[in-house]
Amino acid sequence: MTDNDPSVAEPNDSSNAGGPETDTETNSNEKAYWSENIRLLWTLMAIWFVVSFGAGILFRDFLDQFSLGGYPLGFWFAQQGSIYVFVLLIFYYTWKMKKIERKYDLDD
């Protein structure tokens, strides 16, 4: 290779524009995306835990004072409610992730 080889980019060459700055911007964009994604996952998992474990087990005696469809509410949450809430959380997650992906320009 010679000093005049066009395949070797110079540090101030215009073909190298956006190199380090773009990488830094991409890294911060990826970190923000994953931070928001993980925060959403933790929130939804906490809701599911409270509904399934809390309403179905811990607060069952209190919830059994009320009924839904002729069944005590605590029993209903233990048998049916946590499953319904889980399915709703899946739909909410997909809807919210589409918004987050659009926000960070990662949608298909």
Side-chain angles (χ1 to χ4, degrees):
M1 273 195 305
T2 64
D3 291 336
N4 295 336
D5 188 1
S7 64
V8 177
E10 293 294 320
N12 293 330
D13 191 5
S14 63
S15 66
N16 195 25
E21 294 88 19
T22 304
D23 290 342
T24 306
E25 183 178 310
T26 303
N27 272 348
S28 65
N29 200 25
E30 287 176 6
K31 285 182 182 179
Y33 167 78
W34 280 108
S35 174
E36 198 163 342
N37 186 354
I38 298 299
R39 188 177 329 111
L40 175 64
L41 282 172
W42 275 110
T43 302
L44 296 179
M45 293 300 285
I47 291 169
W48 187 39
F49 175 78
V50 167
V51 169
S52 63
F53 189 73
I57 298 171
L58 295 178
F59 308 120
R60 182 174 176 189
D61 292 333
F62 173 74
L63 292 174
D64 280 345
Q65 298 174 22
F66 311 101
S67 64
L68 180 67
Y71 297 100
L73 191 58
F75 173 78
W76 184 84
F77 268 110
Q79 300 301 315
Q80 304 287 329
S82 61
I83 297 169
Y84 291 146
V85 170
F86 181 65
V87 171
L88 290 175
L89 290 176
I90 290 171
F91 284 113
Y92 178 78
Y93 176 77
T94 57
W95 174 77
K96 186 68 173 175
M97 281 306 298
K98 285 180 185 178
K99 285 180 67 172
I100 291 172
E101 287 173 354
R102 273 189 241 119
K103 178 180 175 182
Y104 293 102
D105 197 30
L106 296 171
D107 56 337
D108 291 334

